mmCIF file of all heavy atoms in Angstrom:
data_model
loop_
_atom_site.group_PDB
_atom_site.id
_atom_site.type_symbol
_atom_site.label_atom_id
_atom_site.label_comp_id
_atom_site.label_asym_id
_atom_site.label_seq_id
_atom_site.Cartn_x
_atom_site.Cartn_y
_atom_site.Cartn_z
ATOM 1 N N GLY G 76 -7.388 26.065 -15.197
ATOM 2 C CA GLY G 76 -8.511 25.125 -15.143
ATOM 3 C C GLY G 76 -8.070 23.693 -15.329
ATOM 4 O O GLY G 76 -8.541 22.786 -14.635
ATOM 5 N N THR G 83 -7.780 17.576 -9.054
ATOM 6 C CA THR G 83 -9.009 16.941 -8.572
ATOM 7 C C THR G 83 -9.012 15.455 -8.883
ATOM 8 O O THR G 83 -9.367 14.630 -8.034
ATOM 9 C CB THR G 83 -10.246 17.606 -9.212
ATOM 10 O OG1 THR G 83 -10.286 18.983 -8.840
ATOM 11 C CG2 THR G 83 -11.529 16.920 -8.745
ATOM 12 N N TYR G 96 -8.515 -0.132 -0.989
ATOM 13 C CA TYR G 96 -7.458 -0.941 -0.376
ATOM 14 C C TYR G 96 -7.935 -1.507 0.961
ATOM 15 O O TYR G 96 -7.739 -2.685 1.262
ATOM 16 C CB TYR G 96 -6.197 -0.107 -0.176
ATOM 17 C CG TYR G 96 -4.963 -0.939 0.065
ATOM 18 C CD1 TYR G 96 -4.102 -1.260 -0.977
ATOM 19 C CD2 TYR G 96 -4.648 -1.414 1.339
ATOM 20 C CE1 TYR G 96 -2.976 -2.033 -0.760
ATOM 21 C CE2 TYR G 96 -3.528 -2.183 1.562
ATOM 22 C CZ TYR G 96 -2.702 -2.494 0.508
ATOM 23 O OH TYR G 96 -1.586 -3.269 0.714
ATOM 24 N N GLY G 97 -8.559 -0.638 1.764
ATOM 25 C CA GLY G 97 -9.095 -1.111 3.042
ATOM 26 C C GLY G 97 -10.182 -2.142 2.852
ATOM 27 O O GLY G 97 -10.242 -3.146 3.568
ATOM 28 N N ILE G 135 -0.454 0.936 13.880
ATOM 29 C CA ILE G 135 0.815 0.463 13.317
ATOM 30 C C ILE G 135 1.324 1.433 12.263
ATOM 31 O O ILE G 135 2.523 1.742 12.193
ATOM 32 C CB ILE G 135 0.659 -0.945 12.725
ATOM 33 C CG1 ILE G 135 0.363 -1.964 13.832
ATOM 34 C CG2 ILE G 135 1.916 -1.355 11.952
ATOM 35 C CD1 ILE G 135 1.462 -2.104 14.858
ATOM 36 N N VAL G 139 4.909 3.271 12.443
ATOM 37 C CA VAL G 139 5.880 3.161 11.352
ATOM 38 C C VAL G 139 6.244 4.547 10.825
ATOM 39 O O VAL G 139 7.408 4.823 10.506
ATOM 40 C CB VAL G 139 5.321 2.272 10.215
ATOM 41 C CG1 VAL G 139 6.232 2.321 8.989
ATOM 42 C CG2 VAL G 139 5.169 0.828 10.684
ATOM 43 N N ASP G 166 -12.493 -1.395 8.637
ATOM 44 C CA ASP G 166 -13.496 -1.639 9.676
ATOM 45 C C ASP G 166 -14.911 -1.427 9.137
ATOM 46 O O ASP G 166 -15.839 -2.160 9.492
ATOM 47 C CB ASP G 166 -13.257 -0.720 10.880
ATOM 48 C CG ASP G 166 -12.229 -1.295 11.849
ATOM 49 O OD1 ASP G 166 -11.856 -2.469 11.687
ATOM 50 O OD2 ASP G 166 -11.806 -0.568 12.767
ATOM 51 N N GLY G 177 -18.496 -21.533 4.061
ATOM 52 C CA GLY G 177 -18.224 -22.420 2.932
ATOM 53 C C GLY G 177 -17.240 -21.834 1.942
ATOM 54 O O GLY G 177 -17.170 -20.617 1.731
ATOM 55 N N GLY G 179 -17.368 -21.993 -1.159
ATOM 56 C CA GLY G 179 -18.055 -21.402 -2.297
ATOM 57 C C GLY G 179 -18.175 -19.889 -2.185
ATOM 58 O O GLY G 179 -18.313 -19.204 -3.213
ATOM 59 N N VAL G 182 -13.635 -18.549 -1.196
ATOM 60 C CA VAL G 182 -12.651 -18.496 -2.287
ATOM 61 C C VAL G 182 -12.898 -17.297 -3.211
ATOM 62 O O VAL G 182 -11.962 -16.549 -3.530
ATOM 63 C CB VAL G 182 -12.633 -19.816 -3.082
ATOM 64 C CG1 VAL G 182 -11.777 -19.670 -4.347
ATOM 65 C CG2 VAL G 182 -12.090 -20.953 -2.219
ATOM 66 N N ALA G 184 -14.321 -14.543 -2.417
ATOM 67 C CA ALA G 184 -13.995 -13.354 -1.627
ATOM 68 C C ALA G 184 -12.488 -13.131 -1.594
ATOM 69 O O ALA G 184 -12.007 -11.986 -1.683
ATOM 70 C CB ALA G 184 -14.541 -13.495 -0.215
ATOM 71 N N PRO G 206 4.363 7.988 -0.638
ATOM 72 C CA PRO G 206 4.339 6.569 -0.321
ATOM 73 C C PRO G 206 3.570 6.271 0.949
ATOM 74 O O PRO G 206 3.381 7.144 1.795
ATOM 75 C CB PRO G 206 5.823 6.236 -0.137
ATOM 76 C CG PRO G 206 6.397 7.502 0.396
ATOM 77 C CD PRO G 206 5.664 8.610 -0.305
ATOM 78 N N ILE G 231 11.829 -7.276 6.305
ATOM 79 C CA ILE G 231 10.738 -6.668 7.066
ATOM 80 C C ILE G 231 9.499 -7.548 7.019
ATOM 81 O O ILE G 231 8.870 -7.814 8.051
ATOM 82 C CB ILE G 231 10.408 -5.263 6.518
ATOM 83 C CG1 ILE G 231 11.546 -4.293 6.820
ATOM 84 C CG2 ILE G 231 9.104 -4.740 7.121
ATOM 85 C CD1 ILE G 231 11.366 -2.918 6.208
ATOM 86 N N ALA G 234 9.748 -10.776 9.043
ATOM 87 C CA ALA G 234 9.595 -10.472 10.473
ATOM 88 C C ALA G 234 8.141 -10.170 10.819
ATOM 89 O O ALA G 234 7.620 -10.624 11.847
ATOM 90 C CB ALA G 234 10.485 -9.287 10.841
ATOM 91 N N VAL G 251 -0.121 -16.763 0.038
ATOM 92 C CA VAL G 251 0.752 -17.165 -1.072
ATOM 93 C C VAL G 251 0.273 -16.553 -2.383
ATOM 94 O O VAL G 251 1.068 -16.012 -3.161
ATOM 95 C CB VAL G 251 0.794 -18.700 -1.186
ATOM 96 C CG1 VAL G 251 1.617 -19.126 -2.400
ATOM 97 C CG2 VAL G 251 1.346 -19.324 0.084
ATOM 98 N N ILE G 267 -3.016 1.434 -16.272
ATOM 99 C CA ILE G 267 -4.374 1.853 -16.616
ATOM 100 C C ILE G 267 -4.711 3.212 -16.013
ATOM 101 O O ILE G 267 -5.321 4.071 -16.662
ATOM 102 C CB ILE G 267 -5.393 0.794 -16.139
ATOM 103 C CG1 ILE G 267 -5.282 -0.460 -17.004
ATOM 104 C CG2 ILE G 267 -6.824 1.347 -16.180
ATOM 105 C CD1 ILE G 267 -6.238 -1.562 -16.617
ATOM 106 N N ALA G 269 -2.573 5.509 -14.845
ATOM 107 C CA ALA G 269 -1.504 6.503 -14.905
ATOM 108 C C ALA G 269 -2.042 7.840 -15.393
ATOM 109 O O ALA G 269 -2.853 7.909 -16.323
ATOM 110 C CB ALA G 269 -0.390 6.015 -15.829
ATOM 111 N N GLU G 272 1.901 13.544 -16.834
ATOM 112 C CA GLU G 272 2.674 14.505 -16.046
ATOM 113 C C GLU G 272 2.223 15.919 -16.404
ATOM 114 O O GLU G 272 1.936 16.215 -17.555
ATOM 115 C CB GLU G 272 4.171 14.357 -16.340
ATOM 116 C CG GLU G 272 4.762 13.028 -15.896
ATOM 117 C CD GLU G 272 4.888 12.928 -14.391
ATOM 118 O OE1 GLU G 272 4.745 13.977 -13.724
ATOM 119 O OE2 GLU G 272 5.125 11.831 -13.892
ATOM 120 N N ALA G 301 12.439 -3.672 -7.549
ATOM 121 C CA ALA G 301 12.388 -4.336 -6.249
ATOM 122 C C ALA G 301 13.688 -5.027 -5.922
ATOM 123 O O ALA G 301 14.035 -5.225 -4.774
ATOM 124 C CB ALA G 301 11.231 -5.331 -6.212
ATOM 125 N N PRO G 317 1.680 -0.662 -1.814
ATOM 126 C CA PRO G 317 1.333 -0.751 -0.821
ATOM 127 C C PRO G 317 1.409 -1.692 -0.165
ATOM 128 O O PRO G 317 1.258 -2.141 -0.721
ATOM 129 C CB PRO G 317 0.046 -0.434 -0.705
ATOM 130 C CG PRO G 317 -0.807 -0.548 -1.320
ATOM 131 C CD PRO G 317 0.111 -0.464 -2.152
#
Side-chain angles (χ1 to χ4, degrees):
T83 299
Y96 197 96
I135 294 298
V139 172
D166 275 350
V182 171
I231 291 175
V251 176
I267 289 180
E272 294 288 347

